[in-house]
């Protein structure tokens, strides 16, 4: 039997506010344990929370950017649970009246548009962190993260594969970064993904029983966890068993999911309205004011790159997939006319080098090559100072040293050879050294020509102008 995978996500994103959601403590990542805390975020008796307005604005902005409706009236609720890293023993979240609901994000899968529903976006507080291996006699707790504002984005079960899920998450991440709602630094836990997954026979209308995998902190883990869990559930069904609704933990090292606990139902949490906080009332003026502050989003930017810069759709998609990449690109083309070359360098060498060094797209600002230097490199090729081959070499050195390309070209004597006589000498030498290839060429083997070009380039250490090499080599070969 053929199966279909059904996936819905719950994504937690830390908001980019300076202070926490109910107190004025800093939200800054890290710090000595338990130094970013006060009586409120450590849940001391008698303290009262005050809602951070900026957190609400960011949540509304996330809602608007994902086509959600914004609730004019919403409230916060207590979710009661034994949280060892949240000393109040309840989390202030939103239950039946979330701030944003009924939205969607359009993604493109294999060239086809697909709409993924956003069920709701609500605000809540983050918990602290348990440290298990710092003290042999037990676990330690760091409350610094307690009370950092979060949004939880819940999708409809509209995703059908790990690939679709990855594309969706990349789009969502780009939207949150473009709007400045969250920095989405996954390595710092700013973006965490819970994956709900079920399988069903292809064509079936009903959903199967789902499991939930919590707190996946890289897209790679999400993809691997989905692949594993889908296979596991299919095997359970194929062997006549039933899938149990439960929370499973993804073990990154072993590459498997393990049962953690049976899923708790909403009523287990004894949700009730938070008595210390008034309802959140949002009027149209406020919504419109926030809407006006939304910058150009990935889809709009992509359209503009196609229209304004004449870039192919593919290029525009890649370049706008992350805010940092788009910013870098836009900065680069301030210094060069050759927009397509800038796009090619970004999609080729820059992406390759980020990948090789294990850097995320948003870490592009940390590399030593600055956008204006990449533009200079492109200009050096365009004005024929260096060849494309040499440019690749210069690029590597720029990446290592951060030097300007002009300086590298000068220091290493890499200026392109355009002197016809010098190239002619190299051509003659290549012809003398490779009689067999010359003969092959004469017998109509075009491949031999390419080989001879390569030989000329080798003799000139890659510095000869390729067009001239082609031209002169042809001429010389014709004479034979
Ligand atoms: P709960 O209230 O139990 O958390 P929700 O209806 O809010 O359940 O759904 C939580 C998440 O699980 C959502 O992302 C939703 O898309 C997803 N989901 C719900 N049912 C299924 C299913 N059968 N298979 C996969 N995902 C599902
Ligand atoms: Mg849920
Ligand atoms: Zn505090």
């Amino acid at each position: 039997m053929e199966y279909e995978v059904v996936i819905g996500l719950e994504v937690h994103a830390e908001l980019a506010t300076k202070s926490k959601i109910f107190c004025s403590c800093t939200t800054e990542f890290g710090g000595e344990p338990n130094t970013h805390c006060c009586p409120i975020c450590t849940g001391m008796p008698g303290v009262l929370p005050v809602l951070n307005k900026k957190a609400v604005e960011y949540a509304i902005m996330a809602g608007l950017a994902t086509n959600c409706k914004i609730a004019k009236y919403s409230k916060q609720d207590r979710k009661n649970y034994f949280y060892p890293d949240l000393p109040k023993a309840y989390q202030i979240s939103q239950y039946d009246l979330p701030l944003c609901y009924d939205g969607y994000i359009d993604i493109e899968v294999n060239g086809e548009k697909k709409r993924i529903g956003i069920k709701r976006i609500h605000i809540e507080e983050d918990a602290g962190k348990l440290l298990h291996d710092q003290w042999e006699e037990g676990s330690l707790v760091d409350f610094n993260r307690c009370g950092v504002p979060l949004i939880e984005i819940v999708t409809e079960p509209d995703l059908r594969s790990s690939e679709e899920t990855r594309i969706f998450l990349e789009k969502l991440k780009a939207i949150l970064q473009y709007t400045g709602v969250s920095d989405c630094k996954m390595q710092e836990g700013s973006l965490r993904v819970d994956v709900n997954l079920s399988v069903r026979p292809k064509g079936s209308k009903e959903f199967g029983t789902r499991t939930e995998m919590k707190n996946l902190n890289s897209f790679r883990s999400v993809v691997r966890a989905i692949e594993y869990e889908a296979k596991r559930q299919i095997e359970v069904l194929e062997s006549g068993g039933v899938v149990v609704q439960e929370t499973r933990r993804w073990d990154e090292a072993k590459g498997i999911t393990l049962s953690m606990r049976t899923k708790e139902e909403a009523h287990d949490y004894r949700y009730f309205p938070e008595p210390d906080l008034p309802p959140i009332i949002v009027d149209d003026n406020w919504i419109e004011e926030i809407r006006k502050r939304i910058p150009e989003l990935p889809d709009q930017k992509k359209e503009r790159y196609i229209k304004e810069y004449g870039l192919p759709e593919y290029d525009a998609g890649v370049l706008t997939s992350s805010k940092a990449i788009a910013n870098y690109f836009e900065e680069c083309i301030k210094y060069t006319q050759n927009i397509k070359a800038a796009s090619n360098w970004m999609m080729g060498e820059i992406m390759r080098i980020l990948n090789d060094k294990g850097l995320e797209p948003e870490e592009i600002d940390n590399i030593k090559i600055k956008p204006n230097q990449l533009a200079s490199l492109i200009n050096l090729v365009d004005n024929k100072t260096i060849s494309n081959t040499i440019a690749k070499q210069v690029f590597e050195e720029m990446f290592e040293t951060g030097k300007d390309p002009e300086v590298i070209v000068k220091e290493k004597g890499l200026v392109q050879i355009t002197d016809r006589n010098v190239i002619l000498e190299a051509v003659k030498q290549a012809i003398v050294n490779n009689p067999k290839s010359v003969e092959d060429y004469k017998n109509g083997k075009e491949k031999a020509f390419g080989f001879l070009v390569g030989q000329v380039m080798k003799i000139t250490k890659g510095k000869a102008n390729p067009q001239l090499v082609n031209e002169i080599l042809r001429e010389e070969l014709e004479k034979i």
Side-chain angles (χ1 to χ4, degrees), residues 178 295-309 311 315-317 319-330:
Y178 270 67
E296 186 181 44
L297 293 175
D299 282 348
Q300 298 163 315
K301 206 183 260 299
K302 182 177 167 190
E303 278 312 302
R304 183 166 66 81
Y305 280 16
I306 295 169
K307 284 215 185 78
E308 201 174 304
Y309 302 146
L311 287 173
D315 293 40
L319 294 171
T320 56
S321 63
S322 136
K323 186 184 172 192
I325 297 286
N327 285 351
Y328 190 104
F329 171 73
E330 286 179 26

Side-chain angles (χ1 to χ4, degrees), residues 214-254:
K214 278 199 179 293
N215 283 332
L216 297 160
N217 58 9
S218 77
F219 291 170
R220 195 177 107 88
S221 308
V222 169
V223 167
R224 289 179 70 207
I226 289 172
E227 296 294 333
Y228 177 88
E229 181 61 13
K231 197 160 156 266
R232 188 193 68 84
Q233 288 188 16
I234 291 168
E235 276 167 16
V236 168
L237 297 181
E238 287 281 281
S239 61
V242 287
V243 174
V244 181
Q245 183 164 344
E246 61 186 355
T247 302
R248 296 180 71 86
R249 187 170 67 80
W250 167 248
D251 186 320
E252 179 70 34
K254 295 205 182 88

Side-chain angles (χ1 to χ4, degrees), residues 257-292:
T257 64
L258 299 160
S259 178
M260 262 169 83
R261 56 179 195 242
T262 55
K263 177 155 174 58
E264 42 300 280
E265 301 287 332
H267 63 248
D268 295 327
Y269 292 116
R270 319 310 298 174
Y271 276 104
F272 65 86
E274 168 57 52
D276 291 335
L277 288 163
I280 303 169
I281 313 285
V282 180
D283 65 18
D284 286 328
N285 284 341
W286 197 20
I287 295 175
E288 287 319 306
E289 202 186 289
I290 295 167
R291 195 193 301 278
K292 279 200 208 106

Side-chain angles (χ1 to χ4, degrees), residues 11 66 105 153 168-177:
V11 180
T66 54
I105 292 178
I153 302 151
F168 171 82
L169 284 170
E170 269 162 14
K171 187 79 176 271
L172 174 63
K173 181 176 167 187
I175 291 170
L176 296 177
Q177 286 183 329

Side-chain angles (χ1 to χ4, degrees), residues 5-11 95 117 119-120 152-160 194-199 206-212 233 245 263-266:
V5 185
V6 174
I7 299 159
L9 304 176
E10 292 161 282
V11 180
Y95 179 46
K119 199 168 170 171
R120 57 185 282 163
E152 179 175 334
I153 302 151
V154 184
T155 77
E156 297 292 348
D158 290 343
L159 296 158
R160 293 290 175 272
D194 301 348
V195 175
N196 296 275
L197 184 149
S198 62
V199 297
E206 270 149 57
F207 287 141
T209 305
R210 72 179 196 261
T211 61
E212 181 172 4
Q233 288 188 16
Q245 183 164 344
K263 177 155 174 58
E264 42 300 280
E265 301 287 332

Side-chain angles (χ1 to χ4, degrees), residues 464-477:
N465 174 299
Q467 248 168 309
L468 285 176
V469 171
N470 269 274
E471 208 180 293
I472 296 170
L473 181 61
R474 282 259 189 239
E475 283 169 17
E476 288 306 301
L477 287 168

